[in-house]
Amino acid sequence: LQADDVESKIREIIPPGFCTNTDDFVSLLEKEVNFKPFGMLLHTYSVHNEEAGEDITYQIYKADMTCPGFREYHERLQTFLMWFIETASFIDVDDERWNYFLVFEKYNKDGATLFATVGYMTVYNYYVYPDKTRPRVSQMLILPPFQGEGHGAQLLETVHRYYMSSPTVLDITAEDPSENYVKLRDFVLVKLCQDLLCFSPGKLMQGFSQEMVMEAQQKLKINKQHTRRVYEILRLRATDMGDAEQSRSYRLDVKRRLIGPYKKKQRELAKMRRCLRPEELTNQLNQIDLNMQHEQLEESFQQLVSEYRRVLERLAQA
């Protein structure tokens, strides 16, 4: 059997100059002592490592293509997306609207301070008429050896805090977020919002309000849709689900939002009654099972509450 030409496939993704034997790779590691993170330091934090029995220091930086050497570094870094994110694609680095946020582990070895790449995030700054921008998270990756240690939450919170200080930023969104990213975002946004006055237990029990929307957007750059999820999570924490009246009030409040798509179907049905012939109407009605819709609504509610409880559990441990 003839071996596959692996190198030709790798060349389609990895920039020229990659190593093809172990000796060359090991010799290049000696140059790691000269590596320094690119850009501006935004945040430093520590994570306790059980295996090492000590706290390890991590730093988050913001960089752009004007940083000397960053373009070449990013060309190599972005190749990791292809191995770990199924729908990943390379971005146009010549577009100046991109911002780059990087996480590094800072450690000492043989008396030298070294930095290991932990992960990174790319954010595109969309224009919003007349004088605002809307940063949109495009890609986010924490490398496998560092996953499950809270670095994603640290990175996302740092990015939010960076944009919160800018008066020209309207709100922060994400491009086609994955299920795991939504869970991460829920945790970070609830953590940021829980101390706002509009999310006090008394106001939460009064229902979702425009005050919450305005304060979350003005102070934390959170849009209305995400603010609603934050409200539902924090109201769940403030609700005694063992109390029949409180539980019923919470359930109805969440279901009023979830029922939106079903109400749309009902409006479509009303139009059908006016426009379709009897045999066409019967065919459409057969596809709309109201009992099934109620079952789906209850299933969606229970799944959502389960997700919200996991966010609250993580928040309690933070």
Side-chain angles (χ1 to χ4, degrees):
L1 294 177
Q2 185 173 358
D4 292 336
D5 186 2
V6 177
E7 284 189 29
S8 66
K9 294 298 181 183
I10 291 178
R11 288 192 195 98
E12 296 174 6
I13 300 175
I14 299 181
F18 60 85
C19 297
T20 57
N21 67 73
T22 305
D23 292 337
D24 289 345
F25 179 76
V26 171
S27 66
L28 286 175
L29 290 180
E30 297 175 1
K31 298 180 180 179
E32 288 295 294
V33 69
N34 299 319
F35 176 82
K36 295 292 183 291
F38 301 93
M40 173 177 61
L41 175 63
L42 297 181
H43 180 51
T44 299
Y45 63 98
S46 298
V47 174
H48 184 72
N49 186 289
E50 294 291 343
E51 186 176 337
E54 60 181 0
D55 290 342
I56 298 179
T57 300
Y58 298 88
Q59 294 183 330
I60 299 177
Y61 287 76
K62 175 189 173 292
D64 57 45
M65 289 301 160
T66 63
C67 302
F70 180 67
R71 179 182 292 267
E72 293 74 21
Y73 169 81
H74 179 264
E75 283 186 356
R76 300 192 299 274
L77 178 62
Q78 70 177 349
T79 61
F80 282 106
L81 296 172
M82 297 302 176
W83 312 127
F84 300 115
I85 300 180
E86 186 175 353
T87 58
S89 60
F90 292 160
I91 63 175
D92 178 12
V93 295
D94 292 320
D95 191 331
E96 295 178 354
R97 287 183 173 270
W98 285 106
N99 284 337
Y100 308 83
F101 299 87
L102 305 106
V103 188
F104 296 96
E105 176 190 349
K106 183 180 180 181
Y107 64 101
N108 295 314
K109 183 178 180 181
D110 299 330
T113 299
L114 303 178
F115 294 88
T117 301
V118 174
Y120 82 116
M121 175 192 289
T122 56
V123 180
Y124 190 80
N125 296 290
Y126 281 90
Y127 168 71
V128 179
Y129 180 85
D131 58 353
K132 302 286 186 180
T133 59
R134 173 174 282 127
R136 178 183 291 180
V137 176
S138 174
Q139 298 161 323
M140 180 178 182
L141 174 65
I142 301 298
L143 295 174
F146 302 97
Q147 290 176 5
E149 298 178 352
H151 301 295
Q154 290 280 356
L155 176 57
L156 184 56
E157 182 175 347
T158 299
V159 170
H160 260 272
R161 292 191 181 280
Y162 171 78
Y163 287 116
M164 278 160 45
S165 62
S166 173
T168 62
V169 170
L170 183 64
D171 53 38
I172 304 167
T173 62
E175 178 184 348
D176 192 22
S178 67
E179 183 178 335
N180 286 334
Y181 180 84
V182 171
K183 293 176 182 177
L184 175 66
R185 182 175 63 196
D186 283 343
F187 167 72
V188 170
L189 298 191
V190 169
K191 182 182 176 185
L192 291 172
C193 287
Q194 63 180 345
D195 294 326
L196 294 180
L197 290 176
C198 64
F199 288 103
S200 63
K203 293 192 174 183
L204 286 168
M205 302 309 286
Q206 295 174 16
F208 188 57
S209 67
Q210 186 62 25
E211 179 188 3
M212 296 173 182
V213 175
M214 295 295 293
E215 191 169 3
Q217 184 174 51
Q218 291 174 359
K219 294 184 177 180
L220 303 176
K221 311 300 183 183
I222 302 173
N223 65 27
K224 182 177 181 178
Q225 179 184 355
H226 300 160
T227 302
R228 172 71 197 203
R229 284 182 68 92
V230 168
Y231 154 75
E232 291 178 0
I233 295 170
L234 288 176
R235 178 164 177 180
L236 176 61
R237 185 172 69 175
T239 299
D240 179 2
M241 295 301 281
D243 182 288
E245 183 57 34
Q246 288 191 34
S247 176
R248 178 177 179 276
S249 176
Y250 179 76
R251 185 173 65 254
L252 291 176
D253 188 43
V254 174
K255 283 188 175 181
R256 271 194 292 269
R257 177 180 65 82
L258 294 177
I259 206 170
Y262 300 100
K263 285 187 174 180
K264 182 180 178 182
K265 286 185 179 180
Q266 294 301 315
R267 291 195 296 270
E268 292 173 350
L269 178 58
K271 291 180 182 179
M272 292 177 192
R273 292 185 189 279
R274 295 194 301 268
C275 304
L276 297 181
R277 295 192 301 270
E279 62 274 14
E280 293 175 327
L281 181 60
T282 300
N283 183 49
Q284 291 296 324
L285 288 175
N286 288 337
Q287 298 179 32
I288 302 176
D289 186 332
L290 295 180
N291 289 330
M292 183 177 293
Q293 288 183 4
H294 287 302
E295 291 176 4
Q296 291 173 345
L297 184 62
E298 178 62 23
E299 184 179 338
S300 297
F301 171 75
Q302 294 298 339
Q303 181 179 347
L304 204 61
V305 169
S306 178
E307 293 173 2
Y308 289 173
R309 290 191 189 282
R310 284 194 289 270
V311 173
L312 293 174
E313 288 171 3
R314 182 176 180 183
L315 195 66
Q317 297 169 1

